[in-house]
Amino acid sequence: FSVGTGVPVARGIVLTARHVVVPDEATDDPVRVRFWHATEREYRPDDAQGRTGFLDAQEPEGAEGAAARGILWSCAELDAALVAVSHPASVPVALLSRTEPFNAAPWLAEGFPHAAWEEGAPEPVRLSGMSHSRFPTTGRYQVDANIAMVHDHGHAAQAPEGWAGASGAALFVNGQVMGILLARRPNGEARVLEAASVRDMLDVPAFRAVLGLDDGAQTGYRDALKAALAEVPPLAKAALAQWLGL
């Protein structure tokens, strides 16, 4: 099985790397998702109740193929996918950025790089670094991490690549998701990584349709943001609304 990281980008929909949920060979194995920071009991591990915290992705009615495993959309070129999930109310939805990847943009993320696992179990790690502009004619771009993820010499031979498990981690720039982490750059240093641009995903009609963004004004997305604003303290509401373009 493959382990990766994801981020909720709409209620009941998680964005992740395609290679995490779409293997090279066809499979009927379910995609399983755990919301690590959910506070609801049914989403938390409980040995006494036999709960691992992992739940199968949601299968849309009448779905076939990849959709039957909960995969609502995927793109091999961008190495990105949207997965239907049961969404805990305690976990917020991230905002997607239309910003073009640019040089020296500081990013923050959280993921499950294999080099940081404890006793063979994934553990979330806070990550940060700087981004670069995109590679020519592609939707991908380089990001540099502040720390490298490498195994100690005793595990290097049999262990997966140190960044494995962090694929799909959201790269937040100025509070919005500018991209998702894909993998270590081929032949690159252990902290030189590759990411997929969210701006390019938003240019794909099928991606926007799954998220309810298919109308020109993106009214569904804007309505969801306005509803969230209703819970913001009054003194901060005006400034936040201006920043979001509402």
Side-chain angles (χ1 to χ4, degrees):
F1 64 93
S2 177
V3 175
T5 306
V7 58
V9 293
R11 298 304 303 179
I13 301 177
V14 163
L15 171 64
T16 187
R18 181 182 186 272
H19 71 263
V20 172
V21 295
V22 180
D24 292 335
E25 298 181 3
T27 180
D28 293 328
D29 293 342
V31 175
R32 311 208 75 201
V33 179
R34 176 180 170 186
F35 284 88
W36 219 264
H37 300 300
T39 58
E40 292 86 347
R41 179 179 300 177
E42 62 269 30
Y43 291 94
R44 303 297 301 169
D46 188 328
D47 293 339
Q49 298 294 325
R51 290 198 306 265
T52 63
F54 287 91
L55 298 174
D56 288 355
Q58 301 290 291
E59 178 183 339
E61 185 176 352
E64 298 179 355
R69 301 176 58 239
I71 301 170
L72 303 176
W73 170 87
S74 70
C75 175
E77 181 181 356
L78 292 171
D79 194 4
L82 294 171
V83 179
V85 298
S86 172
H87 196 145
S90 62
V91 176
V93 170
L95 297 176
L96 299 178
S97 173
R98 281 194 168 274
T99 302
E100 174 78 14
F102 59 96
N103 290 324
W107 57 264
L108 298 172
E110 187 173 58
F112 300 88
H114 198 277
W117 289 22
E118 297 184 6
E119 298 182 357
E123 289 291 333
V125 176
R126 297 288 177 90
L127 305 166
S128 62
M130 290 286 181
S131 75
H132 297 261
S133 57
R134 75 169 65 242
F135 304 128
T137 70
T138 77
R140 302 186 182 191
Y141 63 104
Q142 178 180 317
V143 294
D144 297 340
N146 288 330
I147 57 174
M149 285 294 165
V150 293
H151 290 284
D152 61 52
H153 296 298
H155 296 84
Q158 69 272 25
E161 205 280 321
W163 282 100
S167 298
L171 302 175
F172 285 88
V173 176
N174 295 327
Q176 298 183 338
V177 182
M178 190 167 74
I180 59 170
L181 186 64
L182 298 181
R184 180 175 169 178
R185 285 279 290 155
N187 302 319
E189 297 180 11
R191 64 183 194 88
V192 179
L193 314 170
E194 188 170 273
S197 165
V198 162
R199 174 171 176 166
D200 284 63
M201 298 177 205
L202 289 168
D203 286 338
V204 179
F207 179 87
R208 296 198 311 272
V210 169
L211 297 180
L213 306 178
D214 213 23
D215 59 302
Q218 298 186 0
T219 55
Y221 194 46
R222 292 168 66 87
D223 288 346
L225 291 177
K226 289 176 181 177
L229 272 176
E231 302 181 14
V232 176
L235 291 179
K237 189 174 296 185
L240 181 57
Q242 183 178 13
W243 182 72
L244 291 173
L246 301 176

